[in-house]
Amino acid sequence: MQKIKILVIPSDNYGCGRFRSIWPHKWMNEHMSEYFDIDIMFNLPNDKPLDKFLMQYDIVHIHKQLDKEGKIADLIKFLGIKLVVDVDDNYWLSPQHPMYASAKAEHWEIPIMNHLKKADLCTTTTPIFASQIAKECNKNVAVFPNAIDPEAEQFKPKDIRETDKIRFGLICGSTHLHDLKLMEGMLARIKPDNLKKIQFVLCGFDTRGNKTIRYADTGKVETRPIEPTESVWYEYEKIVTDKYKIVSPEHKDFLMKFIPQSDYPNHDENYRRCWTKDIEEYAVHYNNIDVLLVPLCDNNFNKVKSQLKVIEAGFFNKAIIASNFGPYTIDLKPMITKGNEYHEDGNALLCDFNKGAKQWAKYINYLVENPDKLEKLRENLHNTVKDTYNIATVC
């Protein structure tokens, strides 16, 4: 049998590029080599005619876009090569997104949508996003969910416990400030006796970045490194700690030094800061939590996000409390529904927008007071994802 030859051009070497382009195709190269011959290249060669180079492939797989004008995509199509365009985040950014102004001014969506329209096949992460792509860009769209390779070192759960407290954690990137604000006021609603049994863990803390200042009168633009207190992670931390009210004075003094990759020696405090890790290590953060908190505010960008956090938490045998919205309605079944009705097969606790921070606090109190239900949530979620979202199944 003649192998199908695929050229994969990732958008980057981290994040989307890793999850959507590199990891699955590397797995296919290693485990399905009798069917596929796959090359992964970040840049097309410029030392030979592009048409002759491309003609050796049956399929070209890209994430989002190549050149802005779509000329390379046109060449791929002209040569009779199948073009697969994958997209995992909405090409329409919401006003809450920190890059919204730039995206709107520069029309970031246009080249992505043009590539999707040219594609022989579009692929994405969820049926929700697939439906949007079919309506706006291309009816030839398939769902390939994000997947986990349980053999990868960072996805192997490790028994790390440095406190007897139940660890409620946030593991996210730098674009979730509006999401975290859904939990503002939550800590004041947690029962004092329960608060003594809890540790909140903020994973991914980072103070790197630059601040750009534009002077309207002169047009001058200056760029400088941000101060730690200008980082969005500082804002996250204030929400998670209720402006440091649950932090001891000594611990707060330590935190305010913002020493990169440093860890406060007393891991039994009510709060723990875990610094950012690179793409090959970030998942080890799950070893530092018991329950993942996933707030997600209501907008069109968030609606079509993937359920990756659900998948990761399940593979690590963690429980989850999430917003009852978008990607978290795909696999999650609420253990508690309206009228406090209990469901034995529930694999999550889901928070409605109209109930605000009090429902997040209610479910945290519930798990502290009912540790058996915490264990049941862990078991049910693990069983939900362990086979369906294994990279072997998806590939």
Side-chain angles (χ1 to χ4, degrees), residues 19 23 148 154-155 171 203 276-286 308-309 312:
F19 262 104
W23 285 346
I148 299 297
Q154 68 167 320
F155 292 109
I171 302 174
C203 300
T276 186
K277 296 184 181 296
D278 66 32
I279 189 66
E280 297 293 348
E281 294 183 290
Y282 83 94
V284 302
H285 281 309
Y286 283 93
L308 179 58
K309 291 289 177 257
E312 291 173 341

Side-chain angles (χ1 to χ4, degrees), residues 90 92-101 297-302:
N90 204 341
W92 300 108
L93 269 59
S94 70
Q96 293 85 4
H97 196 285
M99 302 304 293
Y100 172 74
C297 63
D298 184 355
N299 61 54
N300 288 331
F301 182 81
N302 283 345

